Amino acid sequence: MFESLFVFEGPFGSSAEDRKREKFRKEREEMMAASEQMFKKRPSKNMSSRKLNLDSSTQLTDSVSPADVVKPMFDVTWGPLIGTLSQVLESSTNETSIALCLSGFVYSIRLASHSGMSLARNTFVNSLAKFTTLGSIKEMKSKNIECIRTLLSIAIIDGEYLGDSWSPILQCISQLGRLHLFASGLDSEDQFLQVGSPQLTKISEAAREMEENNGKAVLAAVNEVLIDKVFSSSVTLSARGIVNFIDQLVAVSEAEISGDTKRGISGVSASGGTKGMQGKITTSGHGIEGPRIFSLQRLVEVADYNMDIRPRLTWSQIWENMGNHFAKVGCNENAMVSMFAIDALRQLSFKFLEKPELTDFNFQRLFLKPFLLIMENPGSREDIRELVLRCVDNIIRSLAHNLRSGWKIFFSILTLSASDPSAKIKTLGLAILQRLLDEHLDELCRLSGNVEDVDLPKDLDTDQEQPLSSLQKRQRNANADDFVGLCKASLSFVQTEKAENPLPIGLSMRALCHTACYADIIAEKRVLPPVSGFQSTDPSLSGYTYTGLSDDEALEMAIWRPLLDGLAAGICSSAPSSSGGVGCLVQRGSVMALRAILLRHGRLFSVPQWAAILSYVILPAIQIGAENDCSPVNKISSESPSVSSLDFIGEPLSLPPLCDDEGLKKFSAMAQSDESSPSRPLGTAELLVEASFADLRHGGDGNLSKAYRLKKKDVEKRMVHLQPFPDSWIATTAPIALGILSDLVHVNFLLLGDRAIDVLWPIISKQLSRWTVGSLLHQSQVDVSGSDHENGKKSLTNVEWQPCEAIVRIACKEWCRVYQSVLSGTAILDKTLLRSWLKTLNKDLSDIINQNIHVEEKLRNDIVESKLASIERQNAVRRGNMENDEPLPRMTHLDLLPKLKSRCIAAHCLQQYISSFVNELAPYIDEDATSHLVDALCTSKLASRDARQDEDLAHAFQEAFFEQWGDGVEEVEAALRGVSASGTGHRGSSQMFFLTQEASATKATVILLSLLYCQNHGEDIDPDSWDAESYAEPVLMRSIMDVLTEFLASEVKDGVFVDPNVWRSASESGGQVAFYCTSFAGVVVHILEAIHGLEREKFERHKESLFPMLCSLVCVQSDEIRQWVSSIFTKQIGPLIGVMEESQ
């Protein structure tokens, strides 16, 4: 065979030996050429002549780096060198040869490391690591142990330059740690961490015995201090060196936890093996290894060593990879491993936070971020998330005074806990927030503490005299930003959307109490607004505020807006929140919290700020709540405007007692006496919310001065008023939500002067008009923290919206409450401002009545046209001129009837409420307001008269009635029982609705005009006031004659059909039977009352027209009317005929 090889040598090729020789010659020539170029290097031209005369050796020393000379030479020799060293080390047993080989490895690794030859360095280190035989089941010899010692010394001496070569060294150290456990007679840690796992292969007895022997040998030869020194010497590494060391230690730790720790040092993975003696496959004895935490423990030690000696900027680079590793391990499926990681993270956090953070730095936020990553990980277990919250709680308890940028991480974690699937996690998260408010509020507000804290001015007015430094401005902005994060964390526990795992209602209610506490903090200036950087586009960024404000006003609202928007989201929450038959607890609680904050601290807001609060918070929230209510309450329709089928609707809250109320003080004292209550005093808004919630929880009557009595009640004995529609927002929440408007007028707006009339009242009036009459909605939005809607907002669309009857009745009552609020301000307002308020209210109320009548007439015409079109369509189908399957109109006359009824009810309710406050209004009303109001009432009266006389409309009402009751004869007869033969006088008929509307319009007109006609001209009357008597007299007398004439005619015609029981109370007979005489009986009573109160001179002027009417009224069936007639005869007519009242 050898001879055949030489056949091909000659001109066609050369032997392998010749090729090697030729290659070596070329490399030598290249090296010589490179060396020649180095020697030919000359100094620069600007060097002195003295340097030019230096000998060549000096020139070589100064101009050539040793690495530049050594690197080319070593680059050529390291390949053969490693082969020689490996071969000798593998086969030799001579100690001298082994020592020389190990020295060769040391110097080779040092040369490669210092020369930047990563390939050579990695090759030598990997080869030396392989000679340790760590990671395989072999009997260790002395040379293997010497290899271990050599590897450790390299790590200690040359660690700065090892770079990626740290990986095999750290893997060997990991295996040394395992051998030490065996040598100590203990199980490997993977046995402990993988308890109960069926995947772990049991170690054989022979393998265990060999591991123990190897461990003892290593333990005797390698001092554990040497291993510790590898990690403790990390403090001497440069910034780049420590980063490389940490990166490789993290990689080894990941391999340990995944169960694959031997790849790279033995040529096998955890699941593989190597061929041993006799061709058998041998493994490390573990098969599929369990997780180990040796390197993770060492990682904690390295972090501890370097934390305080490294600059924070360098430490942030080190921690980036380390923190991500802790976060990943913290979510490991092995509970022992993940808990160890989190506990280690907690210990490091405690040490890191012991050093206060300087201003403008965010190292705390970076260091604590792994906790947040664990909470955000959807694969983390419940017990791990609980452990994270426990760590957060411990840190806050111990180191709250040192926290700065770390607050952001903690608030984000607590926010995430609110959406956790586990109720236990939710409860723990809110408990941490509660403890933060109760025990660490001063640390959060940063009123005192470290030198770095900003000494904030005591009064905002001093800012101009003593401008803040740039450092103080940044600190102010950071404080405000942290406070906003705290507010959002609490508000995340307020359920605003439907969820698979809803928050317990108790947590949401407690979180609402937090909002009042935050408002008190702002009002007390314990947290100041930012000084720059406001914006109104992105709620997730700092400085989010309202548009349309001055810079100072916008900055002030930057700390208010998250609070107010969160409460607005709670008001219009779509999540069900019923408990024990009481519904919409979260929605009502949000209203109460917002109301308490605005009533207690409303003095802090300017008129533009109030306009923003109304336009962006209150009004959009209540509008969305009303629109989203799909309960049956929307479809309930009363049979008469005066007899409501909606008596279950809640009532507005009464005004709260003053801050110094004795009842509230008693409630506060009792609340603080509870063991679970905070020792800190409750703020004014927080106290009001707590009392309101106690009243709501125990079924109180709304009198918060007596809330302390409810605090004593046993929960089992509480009185709860069950609601027929507990999930209806309109029935439960709408009255108190809309009631905020009149409360704000009474407490805050009356004191703001004319600007409140010009700016704020139009916003309120527009909303009241929308709920009374309906309107075309304009695009508006309300923020919803944590919701699934786009950009976190709910929108109102540009569609026509008509309120249901329940909303109409609520809005009409609110009109009355607004009037009462203004009229109750006579003691605090001057007459000019009071008259301005009333003039504006009267004009808007008159416009609302006119607008309502306009809509009512349009609906009436549409119903009649639709009814006639329907009849014509039926006739055409009957004649065969039209197909029966032709599509019907979008809305039929039966669909329009509920809307018409709502318009009639709106007119009636407004007119009824006018009658209730007109006594207080009359002294302050001027001629223009009176004229507008009387004209509006007359328009309503005439429109309702036309409607009740419209036979087509009556037939439409009757058709709707029969459709409602069905085809049952008995039901229809029961509904029609006791009415006229025509069946048009039943409840639900057009006569019932429009007679009631006409009667209330007439009643309001009569009462107003009679007050103006009969008012006393005392000293309090303005001498320049208008002649109300002359204006009222003709209109009043004409109305009186018209009503009495028609009443008498109806009594004669229809009185025989009226049950005598109906006449027991004339003022209440109108809602029972639809006849003029019954509907206007209450109006006649007020007319007779007005006639009775006329001065003798005025009565004498109209006696000729009044006397016949009074005589006719003697014969009516109503006892109440006859009694009034008798009194009038006694008082007014008796003196005229010479019969004095005293003689009667």
Side-chain angles (χ1 to χ4, degrees), residues 1092-1094 1096 1123-1124 1126-1144:
H1092 184 272
L1094 287 177
R1096 184 168 300 176
Q1123 290 174 2
W1124 273 108
S1126 174
S1127 298
I1128 293 173
F1129 270 91
T1130 302
K1131 180 181 178 182
Q1132 302 287 7
I1133 299 178
L1136 295 179
I1137 60 176
V1139 179
M1140 302 304 294
E1141 184 176 357
E1142 290 79 9
S1143 62
Q1144 297 298 322

Side-chain angles (χ1 to χ4, degrees), residues 774-885:
S775 65
L776 184 67
L777 294 183
H778 300 282
Q779 185 73 18
S780 62
Q781 295 179 326
V782 57
D783 290 338
V784 181
S785 169
S787 70
D788 296 333
H789 289 70
E790 184 179 1
N791 298 326
K793 295 182 177 180
K794 290 182 179 178
S795 299
L796 306 180
T797 54
N798 287 315
V799 296
E800 184 180 1
W801 180 76
Q802 290 294 327
C804 63
E805 180 186 336
I807 290 179
V808 168
R809 291 185 181 273
I810 294 170
C812 292
K813 177 175 286 189
E814 190 62 17
W815 272 104
C816 177
R817 296 182 78 244
V818 170
Y819 264 96
Q820 292 172 346
S821 297
V822 174
L823 290 170
S824 65
T826 54
I828 60 175
L829 298 177
D830 60 76
K831 289 186 177 181
T832 302
L833 184 57
L834 179 61
R835 291 180 186 276
S836 297
W837 267 104
L838 293 176
K839 181 177 180 180
T840 303
L841 292 180
N842 291 331
K843 180 182 179 302
D844 290 347
L845 182 58
S846 301
D847 292 342
I848 288 295
I849 294 175
N850 286 324
Q851 182 183 352
N852 184 72
I853 298 305
H854 174 74
V855 175
E856 181 182 290
E857 290 182 334
K858 184 179 184 302
L859 285 171
R860 178 165 63 89
N861 294 331
D862 291 344
I863 289 172
V864 173
E865 291 176 3
S866 177
K867 173 64 177 175
L868 296 177
S870 175
I871 295 175
E872 184 177 351
R873 188 182 303 105
Q874 293 175 2
N875 293 335
V877 171
R878 194 178 298 111
R879 292 193 301 267
N881 297 335
M882 182 183 296
E883 296 294 335
N884 195 23
D885 57 352

Side-chain angles (χ1 to χ4, degrees), residues 82-139:
I82 191 174
T84 303
L85 295 176
S86 299
Q87 182 65 28
V88 174
L89 188 60
E90 176 75 25
S91 58
S92 176
T93 57
N94 182 273
E95 294 183 0
T96 303
S97 300
I98 293 173
L100 289 174
C101 289
L102 292 177
S103 297
F105 270 101
V106 170
Y107 293 128
S108 297
I109 293 173
R110 186 167 299 163
L111 284 173
S113 300
H114 286 262
S115 301
M117 302 171 64
S118 58
L119 177 61
R121 180 197 64 207
N122 293 341
T123 304
F124 275 101
V125 172
N126 283 323
S127 179
L128 183 58
K130 184 176 180 181
F131 280 116
T132 63
T133 67
L134 292 170
S136 60
I137 304 300
K138 291 182 179 179
E139 182 181 357

Side-chain angles (χ1 to χ4, degrees), residues 326-346 370-393 413 417 420 422 424-425 428 432:
F326 276 112
K328 181 178 179 181
V329 177
C331 298
N332 192 274
E333 60 183 4
N334 187 294
M336 301 296 296
V337 172
S338 56
M339 287 184 179
F340 176 84
I342 294 174
D343 185 65
L345 194 59
R346 179 188 61 83
F371 287 118
L372 178 61
L373 295 177
I374 295 172
M375 287 294 293
E376 290 177 336
N377 193 323
S380 60
R381 299 189 311 280
E382 178 182 343
D383 58 337
I384 294 302
R385 297 193 299 274
E386 181 184 355
L387 184 58
V388 169
L389 288 177
R390 299 288 183 188
C391 293
V392 170
D393 189 23
I413 291 173
S417 69
D420 196 275
S422 170
K424 184 178 181 181
I425 300 296
L428 179 58
I432 294 173

